[in-house]
Amino acid sequence: MHYSDYLQLDKILNAQEPEGERLGEPAHDEMLFIVIHQAYELWFHQLLYEVDSVIGIFGQPTLNDNSPELQTIVHRLSRCATILKVLVHQIDIMETMTPMDFLDFRDKLRPASGFQSVQFKLLEARLGLKYEHRFGQQYYLSQLRQPEVDRIKSTEAEPTLLELLNGWLERMPSVWAGTGDAWFADYRQRYQASLADAEKGNLEYFDSVFSGNPPSSPTTQSQSSPATQSSATTRNLSPLACRSALFIMLYRGYPLLQLPFQVLHQLLEIDEQLSTWRYRHMSMVARIIGTRIGTGGSTGRDYLASALERHHLFREIAALTSFLIERRRLPALSAEMESRLGFVAGA
Amino acid sequence: MHYSDYLQLDKILNAQEPEGERLGEPAHDEMLFIVIHQAYELWFHQLLYEVDSVIGIFGQPTLNDNSPELQTIVHRLSRCATILKVLVHQIDIMETMTPMDFLDFRDKLRPASGFQSVQFKLLEARLGLKYEHRFGQQYYLSQLRQPEVDRIKSTEAEPTLLELLNGWLERMPSVWAGTGDAWFADYRQRYQASLADAEKGNLEYFDSVFSGNPPSSPTTQSQSSPATQSSATTRNLSPLACRSALFIMLYRGYPLLQLPFQVLHQLLEIDEQLSTWRYRHMSMVARIIGTRIGTGGSTGRDYLASALERHHLFREIAALTSFLIERRRLPALSAEMESRLGFVAGA
Amino acid sequence: MHYSDYLQLDKILNAQEPEGERLGEPAHDEMLFIVIHQAYELWFHQLLYEVDSVIGIFGQPTLNDNSPELQTIVHRLSRCATILKVLVHQIDIMETMTPMDFLDFRDKLRPASGFQSVQFKLLEARLGLKYEHRFGQQYYLSQLRQPEVDRIKSTEAEPTLLELLNGWLERMPSVWAGTGDAWFADYRQRYQASLADAEKGNLEYFDSVFSGNPPSSPTTQSQSSPATQSSATTRNLSPLACRSALFIMLYRGYPLLQLPFQVLHQLLEIDEQLSTWRYRHMSMVARIIGTRIGTGGSTGRDYLASALERHHLFREIAALTSFLIERRRLPALSAEMESRLGFVAGA
Amino acid sequence: MHYSDYLQLDKILNAQEPEGERLGEPAHDEMLFIVIHQAYELWFHQLLYEVDSVIGIFGQPTLNDNSPELQTIVHRLSRCATILKVLVHQIDIMETMTPMDFLDFRDKLRPASGFQSVQFKLLEARLGLKYEHRFGQQYYLSQLRQPEVDRIKSTEAEPTLLELLNGWLERMPSVWAGTGDAWFADYRQRYQASLADAEKGNLEYFDSVFSGNPPSSPTTQSQSSPATQSSATTRNLSPLACRSALFIMLYRGYPLLQLPFQVLHQLLEIDEQLSTWRYRHMSMVARIIGTRIGTGGSTGRDYLASALERHHLFREIAALTSFLIERRRLPALSAEMESRLGFVAGA
């Protein structure tokens, strides 16, 4: 076993053929352009690998709390967030390429475009983005080859991380079986009492999230809240799943809820890193390409700006923050409940 | 001279008095909240110090190219960008505070709010943001105390970095005196020839930027270009200044243009870091506060989202990217011009 | 409540008085020098606050596994690591100061020196560094004022995080009561079987760590292992505590061991970040000061290089890595043991 | 032209074949291990590409100060530093692999080892590291295949960046022709006058560096100075080259010296980032492997610790910091000299 064989470096290091050289007009920075995109694709490959393994675990009929399953999920999601942070940082390298340096080879690349990264679209699809919610569907279809479209669509047909998360959250009430409804009624009252005058409208929003009542006047709400916008259109998490997520956030100190809390936390981390990546990527594209059309025929910045808002997958979890109340005002849990949330030996 | 006296640590380290402790309801994370804001204010202080020194140099009637003045400007702007990168990173620390931990002391802080940071507003004002272009002017006035409003307004009345930049760029054509107009006419032709069919509309935009002609149908344009939006409303850089900036970008390889190019580059760096900071700050606020009203009475995220777009000060420089052409198609400079752009000893 | 009152910005922002200005020889970069050190001290303050709170929890006679205590410890240690990462990054800002810029005011500062940071020494002391293990004890005493020395020494006399960790690990065998010795004998055999020929010597090292037998020929060992060096001199973790830590690492998948594993992991993170900070700090000092004596009268780099090796507090935990075996070869735990390590509801 | 063809993703994304899967004992984390090493190799490829291009420019008989050559060198070296920062950051990803997770597949990799990265050795060689100065020469030979050893040795036989830098610095005195010796004698006197009592010994060190006199008692010196150690053994920069570098540092404000100063600065940046990478890499190896022998048969940490000190290529430039004096005490340059260091148009 030798390092270079093991890593198949003959393939990895012989996959850079700048168009400029092929055409006899070498442009120094094209090599950087190739290498950085290859590095991104390697990491997308790893992200898919981790997300797929998480989906594999989440997709089981039940998770065994006494197994390392949830711990493994948290660990791998956390690794994804760590990778994404490096990918954000990597944009610094791309930004060492000035617009003039890019122009030296840009035209030779048409119509290739970063938009054609199948792995990135697969990653979005595995996490939970559906074709019908994608921004720019037409453009999306026009850029990909048919087998690629098929591959992504077939991935979209499988259970996504977001759907499996919803299912897992819906099954969780078993842990507070019997007390659920009373607890929730109590909590709703305390939430209402906690609202400042300017916040009174939040109660209607609360009911739409946790009971599925459509808000009476969505337009007024949507001015102040991107979360409401999505509730007016499509929601990915059911009222029951949202109750579980809320319960986890509020009582995360109990042993049985510590890992579930970490799961939610890591999903928000991933969402935030992905969205930071999109934001910096968009700024970088604007800075290097300007408003001329990109190599793929779009004004890249516009597509990216819209996708930024629409492709925020776990925003419904983040939005639950609006429904928390102070720790000291929480309903106390019954002794029986407390024992179910704890360790055998810890008693 | 002793370290702790020199740094006045008796002041620095005795300026943390959590409200929670004062009121007998201590909340562990309030200390973090205080310290991180103080750390931000220290760095805003340093940023103001650097920006003021740059303004001081730029504000002279002329800059001497054979002095270290421009080098100093570049160095200090670059330091500002480095500081801003750390400030972006620092948000990671704030994000170790969960929404529940923040709730433990949030209500005690009302109506104090990060919005009341006078230094940050001074920084925006020194860079070039005018009151009339600020998003949320009403809110802005209501949050600050009168002496603070006065201080910011009096700062706005002084020449800003953006205005001084414009003046400096307007004076620069002296370096290509005599050839300026002919060169520009030539360049405009080459630019036109470089446009792909889908880009033909760019020529009108080109003329509006470099000759001040209002674009015929701003609405069509503005769909595809945030840069045009601003040109439709207010422009901070004159057509003449834009020509200089374009010339610098195109011929940055000549010795005399190397530092001017770095000046433009560092201003874009600062803009990008500031905007990344605003973006991550906004996400962090959404994640910790949700859509409940912030301590200052606003739904913080909404204000921040709007400011993000509006307070992008140097976007007109970034937008020049759209008007570059390939290096190999550039008009050649005359021998006389080349010599003026070079070193005595280099000849 | 107003932002600037709450943060006591009158103190924070009026604590910068450059010596250069006082003496009529202003040096632009002295402001940066002051501000960055103040920012460091603010964060040292926060680090001490977090570490003290962790010590407070760890210092209780017992920890209740069904309370959020361990979760809180992990969360706060993780926050310390996050802060330290920013402090490492902050060195980038200092490095924007060139040696010539530093020389402009360096002499005015003598003999003040970063070595005189009491908070940093307190932090080291709270974590576990004892006076007798400090590098450069003489120098250390000479630089500090008597009340500061007293304050640090009195801190050293209190239980440190390292000592409390040792005590906590020593109490943990209760969780595997009854099976402990048999399990350990079994494990030792499996470890021995796992050693490659070139690693056979590790068994003696194993026994010295877990049974307290002094290694027969420390000199041979110490060539290849810094960890052994310390075992030859002073060990901070007892053999019993090391057995617990090993057990936690091997069986971290069981619910009851998940947070203990995170405790160990976060301590290693802190150690690594602290040591990276020391390393980059040392390089920065060498680059800005060179081998001329520092403002404190030392050739700073030499002190720092030695402290780097000596002040690595949790290296004994990191060194346990040498004693792990493959997961598939681990002794299985009894059903009774497994149930003690799990949840009531999880069964 | 399609994105995935252009990037040859069929090669890049089909080059991951974990040994665990081949042998029917899959280990989840082996994929990460493969991908991260491939990402490193991609970036080493890019670093070599940039360094080679810099060597190509530096290797010309003369550089034309009125061309963009030096600007290009600075830009590409700066890009190398940016890449190295990301490579340092990337270690965070590796550290998400725990020692137990690594053990799951470690034995299957023997004797492959990161030590066998030919590209990293080529990079060191191109920068200036010679075989005879490498730490662990025997080990080095034993790990590589003969064609790889040949390839590295033939690279070592070509002019390195360090040698070309020395040549370039030796040719530079032409810019201060005529005044050189007088200026230097003057400077030496001023330097001597600037030394504090405890620093008097520095003068001898000064003479050894700038005049090539061997220091009288190297042993005393070498205790306090790593820089002296190297001067006692091998120096890579000649006394003449060191005078140029010193001159550049002192008078960097003159236009003609601005880019040369940036060249020196970027080389120090690269050295620091490389050394930070080595340091964190070493810590990571110690943390994941411990003191068991690595997959390549070495106790990795020991090799790495020694290489860290020895492979610091540009330390002689950093060491010049010790010979600077305050700006206000510098010898003034003659009007004739000043004009040679400036612009035609700037006068």
Side-chain angles (χ1 to χ4, degrees):
Chain A
M1 176 71 60
H2 193 275
Y3 177 84
S4 64
D5 300 333
Y6 178 58
L7 299 176
Q8 303 194 34
L9 295 185
D10 54 330
K11 284 188 197 169
I12 297 290
L13 302 178
N14 289 301
Q16 295 78 28
E17 293 182 48
E19 277 297 291
E21 278 170 31
R22 203 174 59 81
L23 300 171
E25 287 188 331
H28 178 83
D29 280 15
E30 192 182 353
M31 182 63 82
L32 177 69
F33 191 79
I34 293 172
V35 165
I36 197 169
H37 280 91
Q38 290 176 334
Y40 273 116
E41 291 290 334
L42 274 179
W43 286 117
F44 293 159
H45 183 269
Q46 185 65 30
L47 286 170
L48 277 169
Y49 182 78
E50 301 292 351
V51 168
D52 280 350
S53 84
V54 167
I55 285 175
I57 300 173
F58 252 137
Q60 298 170 295
T62 55
L63 296 188
N64 177 355
D65 290 323
N66 278 340
S67 81
E69 290 167 339
L70 266 187
Q71 189 188 32
T72 300
I73 286 174
V74 168
H75 185 69
R76 293 183 187 167
L77 291 177
S78 160
R79 173 177 293 166
C80 290
T82 302
I83 291 172
L84 286 167
K85 282 185 190 179
V86 172
L87 298 193
V88 169
H89 188 178
Q90 214 164 262
I91 292 176
D92 284 4
I93 301 178
M94 186 63 117
E95 289 180 342
T96 65
M97 193 169 73
T98 67
M100 287 298 283
D101 294 332
F102 181 48
L103 269 181
D104 279 347
F105 62 93
R106 194 190 63 151
D107 287 345
K108 301 186 181 68
L109 271 43
R110 294 185 205 250
S113 140
F115 190 87
Q116 295 168 333
S117 169
V118 174
Q119 286 197 123
F120 191 73
K121 292 192 163 30
L122 285 174
L123 181 61
E124 291 180 317
R126 297 301 276 154
L127 291 174
L129 185 64
K130 295 293 186 188
Y131 174 73
E132 56 267 33
H133 301 134
R134 281 191 185 274
F135 174 79
Q137 299 170 7
Q138 282 296 95
Y139 183 53
Y140 168 81
L141 287 184
S142 72
Q143 289 293 304
L144 299 172
R145 295 155 167 172
Q146 195 54 46
E148 294 167 345
V149 173
D150 295 345
R151 194 171 157 211
I152 298 169
K153 293 217 162 172
S154 96
T155 278
E156 287 173 353
E158 292 166 41
T160 68
L161 183 54
L162 188 49
E163 289 164 346
L164 293 169
L165 174 77
N166 189 64
W168 173 69
L169 288 169
E170 286 187 338
R171 289 192 306 272
M172 283 205 62
S174 64
V175 306
W176 68 85
T179 50
D181 286 351
W183 173 84
F184 185 73
D186 186 359
Y187 187 78
R188 185 181 180 280
Q189 222 157 13
R190 289 168 192 253
Y191 177 70
Q192 183 169 21
S194 82
L195 293 171
D197 280 349
E199 300 171 322
K200 290 295 180 202
N202 272 19
L203 192 66
E204 191 181 8
Y205 177 26
F206 183 98
D207 289 336
S208 80
V209 169
F210 296 111
S211 308
N213 305 337
S216 58
S217 57
T219 37
T220 356
Q221 291 274 348
S222 68
Q223 288 170 349
S224 63
S225 153
T228 323
Q229 283 181 307
S230 76
S231 82
T233 51
T234 333
R235 287 195 59 87
N236 296 299
L237 298 182
S238 71
L240 184 56
C242 288
R243 289 190 192 193
S244 286
L246 178 71
F247 192 84
I248 291 168
M249 285 179 173
L250 295 170
Y251 298 99
R252 68 168 193 235
Y254 288 97
L256 197 65
L257 301 180
Q258 292 174 348
L259 285 172
F261 178 72
Q262 286 302 319
V263 171
L264 300 182
H265 179 75
Q266 292 303 334
L267 290 173
L268 292 183
E269 273 292 308
I270 287 175
D271 232 18
E272 177 165 339
Q273 294 303 328
L274 259 179
S275 109
T276 302
W277 185 80
R278 284 195 184 98
Y279 185 74
R280 285 212 51 200
H281 183 245
M282 178 186 77
S283 305
M284 181 266 291
V285 165
R287 194 165 150 185
I288 295 184
I289 305 188
T291 54
R292 290 184 74 149
I293 49 178
T295 53
S298 72
T299 58
R301 193 198 177 280
D302 296 326
Y303 171 79
L304 293 167
S306 306
L308 185 60
E309 273 302 306
R310 294 277 285 275
H311 299 180
H312 224 162
L313 292 167
F314 301 100
R315 59 178 177 271
E316 292 166 43
I317 297 174
L320 294 180
T321 298
S322 305
F323 306 123
L324 303 176
I325 65 173
E326 289 173 84
R327 212 176 261 121
R328 70 180 77 97
R329 300 190 200 282
L330 285 181
L333 300 183
S334 68
E336 189 235 336
M337 174 82 88
E338 289 205 321
S339 113
R340 293 153 133 267
L341 296 175
F343 290 114
V344 174
Chain B
M1 177 69 60
H2 193 276
Y3 177 84
S4 64
D5 300 333
Y6 177 59
L7 298 176
Q8 303 194 34
L9 295 185
D10 54 330
K11 284 188 197 168
I12 298 288
L13 301 178
N14 288 300
Q16 295 78 27
E17 294 183 47
E19 278 297 290
E21 278 171 32
R22 204 175 58 80
L23 301 170
E25 285 187 334
H28 178 83
D29 279 15
E30 192 182 353
M31 182 63 82
L32 178 69
F33 191 80
I34 293 172
V35 165
I36 197 169
H37 280 92
Q38 289 175 334
Y40 272 116
E41 290 290 335
L42 274 178
W43 285 117
F44 293 160
H45 183 270
Q46 184 65 31
L47 286 169
L48 277 168
Y49 182 78
E50 301 292 350
V51 169
D52 281 350
S53 84
V54 168
I55 284 176
I57 300 173
F58 252 138
Q60 297 170 296
T62 54
L63 295 189
N64 178 354
D65 289 325
N66 278 339
S67 80
E69 290 168 338
L70 266 188
Q71 189 188 33
T72 300
I73 286 174
V74 168
H75 185 69
R76 292 181 188 169
L77 291 177
S78 160
R79 173 177 292 167
C80 290
T82 303
I83 292 172
L84 286 166
K85 281 185 189 177
V86 172
L87 298 193
V88 169
H89 187 177
Q90 214 163 263
I91 292 175
D92 284 2
I93 301 178
M94 187 61 117
E95 288 180 342
T96 65
M97 193 169 74
T98 66
M100 287 298 283
D101 294 332
F102 181 47
L103 269 181
D104 279 348
F105 61 94
R106 193 190 65 151
D107 288 345
K108 302 186 180 69
L109 271 45
R110 296 185 204 250
S113 141
F115 190 86
Q116 296 167 334
S117 169
V118 173
Q119 286 198 123
F120 191 73
K121 290 190 164 32
L122 286 174
L123 181 62
E124 290 180 319
R126 298 300 277 152
L127 290 175
L129 185 63
K130 296 293 187 189
Y131 175 73
E132 56 267 33
H133 301 134
R134 279 191 186 274
F135 175 78
Q137 298 170 9
Q138 281 296 95
Y139 182 55
Y140 169 81
L141 287 184
S142 72
Q143 289 294 304
L144 300 171
R145 296 155 166 171
Q146 195 54 46
E148 294 167 346
V149 174
D150 294 347
R151 195 171 156 211
I152 297 170
K153 292 217 162 171
S154 95
T155 277
E156 286 174 354
E158 290 165 41
T160 68
L161 183 55
L162 188 50
E163 289 164 347
L164 293 169
L165 174 78
N166 189 64
W168 172 69
L169 288 169
E170 286 187 339
R171 288 192 305 274
M172 282 206 61
S174 63
V175 306
W176 66 85
T179 50
D181 286 349
W183 173 84
F184 185 74
D186 186 359
Y187 187 78
R188 184 180 180 280
Q189 222 156 15
R190 290 168 191 253
Y191 177 69
Q192 183 169 22
S194 81
L195 293 171
D197 281 348
E199 301 171 321
K200 289 296 180 203
N202 272 19
L203 191 66
E204 191 180 7
Y205 177 26
F206 182 98
D207 289 334
S208 79
V209 168
F210 296 110
S211 308
N213 306 337
S216 57
S217 56
T219 38
T220 357
Q221 291 273 348
S222 69
Q223 288 170 348
S224 62
S225 155
T228 322
Q229 281 181 308
S230 76
S231 80
T233 50
T234 333
R235 287 196 58 88
N236 295 299
L237 298 182
S238 71
L240 185 55
C242 288
R243 288 190 193 194
S244 286
L246 179 71
F247 192 84
I248 291 167
M249 284 180 174
L250 294 171
Y251 298 99
R252 68 168 193 235
Y254 288 97
L256 197 66
L257 301 180
Q258 293 174 348
L259 284 172
F261 178 73
Q262 285 302 318
V263 171
L264 300 182
H265 179 75
Q266 292 302 334
L267 290 172
L268 292 184
E269 273 292 308
I270 287 175
D271 232 18
E272 177 165 340
Q273 294 303 329
L274 258 179
S275 109
T276 302
W277 186 80
R278 285 195 184 97
Y279 184 74
R280 285 212 51 200
H281 183 245
M282 179 186 76
S283 305
M284 181 267 291
V285 165
R287 194 165 151 185
I288 295 185
I289 305 188
T291 54
R292 291 183 74 149
I293 50 179
T295 54
S298 73
T299 58
R301 192 198 177 280
D302 295 327
Y303 171 78
L304 293 168
S306 305
L308 184 60
E309 273 303 305
R310 293 278 284 274
H311 298 179
H312 223 161
L313 292 168
F314 301 100
R315 61 178 174 270
E316 291 166 43
I317 298 174
L320 295 179
T321 298
S322 305
F323 306 124
L324 304 176
I325 65 173
E326 289 173 82
R327 210 176 263 122
R328 72 180 76 98
R329 299 190 201 282
L330 285 181
L333 300 183
S334 68
E336 189 235 336
M337 174 80 90
E338 289 205 321
S339 111
R340 292 152 136 266
L341 296 176
F343 290 114
V344 175
Chain C
M1 176 70 60
H2 194 276
Y3 177 83
S4 64
D5 300 333
Y6 177 59
L7 298 177
Q8 304 194 34
L9 295 185
D10 54 329
K11 286 188 195 168
I12 297 289
L13 301 179
N14 288 301
Q16 296 78 28
E17 294 182 46
E19 277 298 290
E21 278 170 32
R22 203 176 58 81
L23 300 171
E25 286 187 332
H28 178 84
D29 280 16
E30 192 182 354
M31 183 62 83
L32 177 69
F33 192 80
I34 292 172
V35 166
I36 197 169
H37 280 91
Q38 290 175 334
Y40 272 117
E41 291 290 334
L42 274 179
W43 286 118
F44 292 160
H45 183 270
Q46 185 65 30
L47 287 170
L48 277 169
Y49 182 78
E50 300 293 351
V51 168
D52 280 351
S53 84
V54 167
I55 284 176
I57 300 173
F58 252 139
Q60 298 169 297
T62 54
L63 296 188
N64 178 355
D65 289 323
N66 278 339
S67 81
E69 290 167 339
L70 265 188
Q71 190 189 31
T72 301
I73 287 174
V74 167
H75 186 69
R76 293 183 186 167
L77 292 177
S78 161
R79 174 177 291 167
C80 290
T82 302
I83 292 172
L84 286 167
K85 281 184 190 178
V86 172
L87 298 193
V88 168
H89 188 177
Q90 214 163 262
I91 292 176
D92 283 3
I93 301 178
M94 186 62 117
E95 288 180 343
T96 64
M97 192 169 75
T98 68
M100 287 298 283
D101 293 332
F102 181 48
L103 268 181
D104 279 347
F105 61 93
R106 193 190 65 153
D107 287 346
K108 301 187 181 68
L109 272 43
R110 294 186 204 250
S113 140
F115 190 86
Q116 296 167 333
S117 169
V118 173
Q119 286 198 124
F120 191 73
K121 290 190 165 32
L122 285 174
L123 180 62
E124 291 180 317
R126 299 299 278 153
L127 290 175
L129 185 63
K130 296 293 187 188
Y131 175 73
E132 56 267 32
H133 301 135
R134 279 190 186 275
F135 174 78
Q137 298 170 8
Q138 280 298 97
Y139 182 54
Y140 169 81
L141 287 184
S142 72
Q143 289 293 304
L144 299 171
R145 296 155 166 173
Q146 196 53 46
E148 294 167 345
V149 173
D150 294 346
R151 194 172 155 211
I152 298 169
K153 293 217 163 171
S154 96
T155 278
E156 287 174 353
E158 291 166 41
T160 67
L161 182 55
L162 189 50
E163 289 164 347
L164 293 169
L165 174 76
N166 189 64
W168 173 69
L169 288 169
E170 286 187 339
R171 287 192 308 272
M172 282 206 59
S174 64
V175 306
W176 67 84
T179 50
D181 286 352
W183 173 84
F184 185 74
D186 186 359
Y187 187 78
R188 184 181 181 279
Q189 222 156 15
R190 288 166 191 254
Y191 177 69
Q192 184 169 20
S194 82
L195 293 170
D197 281 349
E199 301 171 321
K200 289 296 179 201
N202 271 19
L203 191 66
E204 191 180 7
Y205 176 27
F206 182 98
D207 289 335
S208 80
V209 167
F210 297 110
S211 307
N213 306 338
S216 58
S217 55
T219 40
T220 358
Q221 292 272 350
S222 68
Q223 289 170 347
S224 63
S225 153
T228 323
Q229 282 181 310
S230 76
S231 82
T233 50
T234 332
R235 287 195 58 87
N236 295 300
L237 298 182
S238 71
L240 185 55
C242 287
R243 289 190 192 194
S244 287
L246 178 70
F247 192 84
I248 291 167
M249 285 179 173
L250 295 171
Y251 298 99
R252 67 168 193 234
Y254 287 97
L256 197 66
L257 301 180
Q258 292 174 347
L259 284 171
F261 178 71
Q262 286 301 320
V263 171
L264 300 182
H265 180 75
Q266 292 302 335
L267 290 171
L268 293 183
E269 273 293 308
I270 287 175
D271 232 18
E272 179 165 338
Q273 294 302 329
L274 258 179
S275 110
T276 302
W277 185 81
R278 284 194 183 98
Y279 184 74
R280 285 213 49 201
H281 183 245
M282 179 186 77
S283 305
M284 180 267 290
V285 166
R287 195 164 149 185
I288 295 184
I289 305 188
T291 54
R292 291 184 73 150
I293 49 179
T295 53
S298 72
T299 57
R301 192 198 178 280
D302 295 328
Y303 170 78
L304 292 168
S306 304
L308 184 60
E309 272 304 305
R310 294 278 283 274
H311 298 179
H312 223 164
L313 290 169
F314 300 100
R315 62 178 173 270
E316 292 167 43
I317 296 174
L320 294 180
T321 297
S322 305
F323 305 124
L324 303 176
I325 66 173
E326 290 171 83
R327 214 176 259 123
R328 71 180 75 97
R329 298 188 202 285
L330 285 181
L333 299 184
S334 67
E336 188 235 336
M337 174 81 90
E338 289 204 322
S339 112
R340 292 153 134 266
L341 295 175
F343 291 113
V344 174
Chain D
M1 175 72 59
H2 195 275
Y3 178 83
S4 64
D5 300 332
Y6 178 58
L7 299 177
Q8 303 193 32
L9 294 185
D10 54 328
K11 285 188 195 168
I12 298 289
L13 301 179
N14 288 300
Q16 296 77 28
E17 294 182 47
E19 278 297 291
E21 278 169 32
R22 203 175 59 81
L23 300 171
E25 285 187 333
H28 178 82
D29 280 15
E30 192 181 354
M31 183 62 83
L32 176 70
F33 191 79
I34 292 172
V35 166
I36 197 168
H37 279 91
Q38 290 175 334
Y40 272 116
E41 291 291 334
L42 274 179
W43 286 118
F44 293 160
H45 183 269
Q46 185 65 30
L47 286 170
L48 277 169
Y49 182 78
E50 301 292 350
V51 168
D52 280 351
S53 84
V54 168
I55 284 175
I57 300 173
F58 252 139
Q60 297 170 295
T62 53
L63 295 188
N64 178 356
D65 289 324
N66 278 339
S67 81
E69 290 168 338
L70 265 188
Q71 190 189 31
T72 301
I73 286 174
V74 167
H75 186 69
R76 293 183 186 168
L77 292 177
S78 160
R79 174 177 291 166
C80 290
T82 302
I83 292 172
L84 287 167
K85 281 184 190 178
V86 172
L87 299 193
V88 169
H89 188 178
Q90 213 163 263
I91 292 176
D92 284 4
I93 302 178
M94 186 63 116
E95 288 180 342
T96 64
M97 192 170 73
T98 67
M100 287 297 284
D101 293 331
F102 182 46
L103 268 180
D104 279 346
F105 60 93
R106 192 189 67 152
D107 287 346
K108 300 186 181 67
L109 272 43
R110 295 188 205 250
S113 140
F115 190 87
Q116 296 167 335
S117 169
V118 173
Q119 286 198 123
F120 191 74
K121 292 193 163 31
L122 285 174
L123 180 62
E124 291 180 318
R126 298 301 276 153
L127 290 175
L129 185 63
K130 296 291 187 188
Y131 175 73
E132 55 267 33
H133 300 135
R134 281 191 185 273
F135 175 77
Q137 299 170 8
Q138 280 297 96
Y139 182 54
Y140 169 82
L141 287 184
S142 71
Q143 289 293 304
L144 300 171
R145 295 156 166 171
Q146 197 52 47
E148 294 167 344
V149 173
D150 294 347
R151 193 171 156 210
I152 298 169
K153 293 217 162 171
S154 96
T155 278
E156 287 174 354
E158 291 166 41
T160 67
L161 183 56
L162 188 49
E163 289 164 348
L164 293 170
L165 174 77
N166 190 63
W168 173 68
L169 287 169
E170 285 187 339
R171 288 192 307 273
M172 282 205 61
S174 64
V175 306
W176 67 84
T179 49
D181 286 351
W183 173 83
F184 185 74
D186 186 359
Y187 187 78
R188 184 181 180 279
Q189 222 157 13
R190 289 166 191 254
Y191 177 70
Q192 183 169 21
S194 81
L195 293 170
D197 281 349
E199 302 171 321
K200 289 295 179 203
N202 271 20
L203 191 66
E204 191 179 8
Y205 176 28
F206 183 98
D207 289 335
S208 80
V209 167
F210 295 110
S211 307
N213 305 338
S216 59
S217 56
T219 40
T220 358
Q221 292 273 350
S222 69
Q223 287 170 348
S224 62
S225 153
T228 323
Q229 282 181 310
S230 76
S231 81
T233 50
T234 332
R235 287 195 58 87
N236 295 300
L237 298 182
S238 71
L240 185 56
C242 287
R243 289 191 192 193
S244 287
L246 179 70
F247 192 85
I248 291 167
M249 285 180 173
L250 295 170
Y251 299 99
R252 66 166 194 237
Y254 287 97
L256 197 65
L257 302 180
Q258 292 174 348
L259 284 173
F261 178 72
Q262 286 302 319
V263 171
L264 300 182
H265 180 75
Q266 292 303 335
L267 290 172
L268 292 183
E269 273 293 306
I270 288 175
D271 231 18
E272 179 165 338
Q273 294 303 328
L274 258 179
S275 109
T276 302
W277 185 80
R278 284 194 183 98
Y279 184 75
R280 284 212 51 201
H281 182 246
M282 179 186 77
S283 305
M284 180 267 291
V285 166
R287 195 164 150 187
I288 295 184
I289 306 189
T291 54
R292 290 183 74 150
I293 49 179
T295 53
S298 72
T299 59
R301 191 198 178 280
D302 296 327
Y303 170 79
L304 292 167
S306 305
L308 184 60
E309 272 303 305
R310 294 278 283 275
H311 297 179
H312 224 163
L313 291 169
F314 300 101
R315 62 178 173 271
E316 292 166 43
I317 297 174
L320 294 179
T321 298
S322 305
F323 306 124
L324 303 176
I325 65 173
E326 290 172 83
R327 212 176 261 121
R328 72 180 75 98
R329 299 189 201 284
L330 284 182
L333 299 184
S334 68
E336 189 235 336
M337 175 80 88
E338 288 204 323
S339 113
R340 296 153 133 267
L341 296 176
F343 291 113
V344 174

